[in-house]
Amino acid sequence: MGNLVSNRVKYFEAFQTGRKQTFVKANQKFYLQLKMTDPKDPTKRVTMPKGIRVRLMANASALKNQGATALTDDQGKVCLAPDSRTLYAKPDYHFRIDLDERTYIDIDRMKRVPSKTIKLFDDRKLMEIPMLVDTADGGFHYDETQLKLDEGKLKNYDSKKKGEGTAGAPIVLEVRFYWFYLKFKYFDRIKNAWGEVAAGMPIVPRLDPNEDYLQQYLLKDFLELNYLLDHEDKSLQHHLNLLGFACGRVDGIVGPKTRAGIKAFQKQYGLQVDGIAGPITKRTLEQVFYRRHIGVYKDNAYAVPVWKKMSVAWRDLFFETAMPAQVVAKAYALTTDQQAARFDLFVHTKDKSSTPRLIHRETIAEDNKGKDNKPVPYEALEFPKQRNYYDLPVEWSSRNYWTRYGNRMDKGDRYQKVMKDRVKLFPYVTGADKRA
């Protein structure tokens, strides 16, 4: 009797506000199959890996009904079948990939890679996929004759219908992206020849000069996360959780779970394992978070996947190195040379027969000891030793012909034009901040 009264009240409220009543019933099943652009052949599509979480949403709210959430199987399929409890408010249903942490795929094996196994310089070809993709914001591409959505939603869905798709013929939701292959040139003074920067430099696309691609396409916003990063310890918990080092609720309280997450992170990245988020741990965490495998090194070039929403047209497109120092500047200003060194990359050529390798500025100091056995920073090295190191630009962008620099070192015109493939890259004109 109580349920009947409650149902009538909610129905009347919906009638007053002009909303049609919509029901989710146990016999309504939504069969979906998630596909994505094949990383090995952009003309083909492959099923998304096992374990991707998919939700049936109601006007941006996650349904709490049992069966409204499922994980993809080996064929990228899910069946969303909410139980018989009835929902009344916000009845515009839509479908969403909804992940709790940054998720990576080994594109050689097409399997998910546990976040906690990834190194900063990882030899595997790892591609990050978005944490959140939704039909409501045009994130998926689909056959509109098979799935009729209004603004990406099943508005006022008929309660008499059995659902969408079948087990044998599911509705295909495709996540589409395009590869852009880039080669970055530098002059190797030891080999006396132009070389290409090998794997390890983080490259991110920019669809708009003021847009943070990582935040907009690969992470959830604060409304989705349901918390604000208004405290340093909240940012710590936020970064740990999204990298897969679970530390529980983001509340700014460093308790046992947070300390366990800190220890797991410190162990993974070779830091002192004490559960304390000191300056070195925080800087390393930020570096890992902002510079981890956004671009993949494949086929002797930096292959950068650029995600393409169904309803979004690109106004601008260029590429640059990930710049964590700028991204986190509002929350954590990099105040010392030692802290900034964690973000500064060099190419090191030991001798003419050796293969150049990518290293951090602080590694240079560790590898070069003075007479007192103290580390010697790059700037203090004698010129013959400095020649072995090539300082990569912090702001190296495909828009630059000569790379503009934001630090005190004068790079001159040594940086050559970024090689392009299937995308127009804009050179930098000397003395003027404009396109050629």
Side-chain angles (χ1 to χ4, degrees):
M1 183 68 181
N3 287 339
L4 180 61
V5 172
S6 176
N7 289 352
R8 286 180 175 176
V9 169
K10 292 182 178 179
Y11 182 86
F12 182 68
E13 289 175 349
F15 177 77
Q16 281 185 316
T17 58
R19 289 197 306 265
K20 291 182 179 180
Q21 190 65 341
T22 304
F23 298 93
V24 175
K25 294 187 176 180
N27 63 344
Q28 289 183 328
K29 296 183 179 181
F30 300 91
Y31 293 93
L32 308 174
Q33 184 176 33
L34 300 189
K35 291 191 176 184
M36 61 185 288
T37 306
D38 187 346
K40 298 178 181 178
D41 185 350
T43 65
K44 297 179 180 179
R45 305 292 177 257
V46 292
T47 56
M48 294 198 76
K50 181 179 181 181
I52 303 297
R53 186 174 61 208
V54 185
R55 291 186 189 276
L56 178 63
M57 308 288 292
N59 237 15
S61 298
L63 299 186
K64 303 300 182 183
N65 301 48
Q66 183 177 348
T69 302
L71 300 178
T72 53
D73 63 14
D74 290 330
Q75 296 180 312
K77 295 180 179 180
V78 293
C79 177
L80 302 177
D83 64 18
S84 58
R85 286 179 295 172
T86 308
L87 293 179
Y88 299 90
K90 300 178 180 178
D92 296 339
Y93 303 132
H94 47 110
F95 305 106
R96 170 180 294 184
I97 291 176
D98 193 357
L99 304 172
D100 285 329
E101 63 184 53
R102 294 177 67 181
T103 301
Y104 300 84
I105 295 173
D106 184 331
I107 63 177
D108 286 334
R109 301 170 60 237
M110 278 307 296
K111 290 187 177 181
R112 285 189 65 181
V113 176
S115 292
K116 290 191 289 187
T117 68
I118 301 173
K119 297 289 187 181
L120 192 57
F121 295 123
D122 203 300
D123 293 333
R124 294 171 292 183
K125 297 183 182 68
L126 305 181
M127 184 182 74
E128 184 171 2
I129 64 172
M131 290 178 66
L132 191 151
V133 184
D134 200 315
T135 56
D137 68 0
F140 289 104
H141 296 249
Y142 56 89
D143 186 342
E144 297 181 68
T145 63
Q146 290 187 341
L147 183 63
K148 298 183 184 300
L149 300 180
D150 183 355
E151 296 179 343
K153 300 177 181 179
L154 294 165
K155 293 192 173 183
N156 302 313
Y157 196 63
D158 188 354
S159 60
K160 296 179 182 179
K161 291 190 69 174
K162 292 185 178 181
E164 299 292 331
T166 65
I171 300 295
V172 174
L173 299 179
E174 178 190 324
V175 181
R176 186 174 296 177
F177 63 90
Y178 300 103
W179 282 121
F180 292 92
Y181 297 89
L182 309 170
K183 288 187 177 182
F184 293 84
K185 300 282 188 177
Y186 76 101
F187 189 76
D188 190 327
R189 289 174 291 186
I190 300 301
K191 294 178 182 278
N192 195 32
W194 288 99
E196 296 172 358
V197 180
M201 191 165 66
I203 308 299
V204 297
R206 289 279 187 183
L207 306 184
D208 184 275
N210 300 315
E211 179 183 88
D212 187 332
Y213 188 85
L214 176 65
Q215 294 289 347
Q216 181 158 344
Y217 279 79
L218 299 177
L219 300 177
K220 298 179 183 179
D221 62 27
F222 296 138
L223 293 177
E224 298 291 344
L225 294 169
N226 212 18
Y227 56 77
L228 294 176
L229 300 183
D230 52 2
H231 189 276
E232 186 173 299
D233 289 332
K234 280 189 176 181
S235 295
L236 170 73
Q237 294 168 326
H238 168 76
H239 290 145
L240 286 171
N241 278 337
L242 294 190
L243 287 175
F245 301 94
C247 58
R249 183 181 175 185
V250 176
D251 54 11
I253 301 172
V254 181
K257 290 184 178 180
T258 301
R259 286 191 288 271
I262 294 170
K263 286 182 178 180
F265 175 81
Q266 290 170 330
K267 183 178 180 181
Q268 174 70 9
Y269 289 96
L271 305 176
Q272 181 180 348
V273 181
D274 55 11
I276 300 172
I280 293 178
T281 295
K282 286 181 179 178
R283 301 302 165 191
T284 305
L285 178 60
E286 290 160 5
Q287 182 185 16
V288 170
F289 187 83
Y290 288 104
R291 303 191 79 159
R292 181 202 262 185
H293 297 286
I294 298 174
V296 177
Y297 195 74
K298 102 189 249 289
D299 301 330
N300 297 316
Y302 284 92
V304 185
V306 182
W307 303 99
K308 181 68 172 66
K309 290 186 176 182
M310 190 174 187
S311 57
V312 175
W314 291 334
R315 294 171 294 169
D316 200 0
L317 177 62
F318 62 102
F319 302 89
E320 62 191 16
T321 53
M323 294 179 288
Q326 290 190 3
V327 174
V328 303
K330 293 181 181 179
Y332 306 110
L334 295 176
T335 56
T336 68
D337 291 339
Q338 183 179 6
Q339 291 166 348
R342 305 197 73 86
F343 303 110
D344 202 356
L345 293 175
F346 286 74
V347 178
H348 175 233
T349 306
K350 185 177 180 181
D351 51 48
K352 290 185 177 181
S353 62
S354 66
T355 302
R357 65 189 181 108
L358 214 59
I359 62 173
H360 294 288
R361 178 184 291 272
E362 59 185 12
T363 306
I364 298 175
E366 295 168 1
D367 290 345
N368 294 276
K369 300 293 179 66
K371 294 180 180 179
D372 55 2
N373 205 34
K374 291 183 178 181
V376 178
Y378 169 74
E379 287 78 9
L381 291 177
E382 296 177 354
F383 178 72
K385 284 191 175 182
Q386 275 193 351
R387 293 179 74 251
N388 293 77
Y389 300 95
Y390 187 89
D391 189 1
L392 292 174
V394 178
E395 301 178 11
W396 198 345
S397 172
S398 62
R399 284 190 164 193
N400 301 348
Y401 187 67
W402 296 285
T403 300
R404 289 167 285 179
Y405 239 70
N407 66 11
R408 295 166 295 178
M409 299 182 69
D410 180 17
K411 301 303 173 187
D413 60 358
R414 292 185 292 126
Y415 300 108
Q416 298 299 296
K417 187 176 182 179
V418 177
M419 303 304 290
K420 59 185 171 59
D421 178 41
R422 292 184 298 144
V423 61
K424 184 178 180 181
L425 304 180
F426 304 106
Y428 176 63
V429 179
T430 307
D433 188 6
K434 62 181 181 181
R435 296 177 186 172

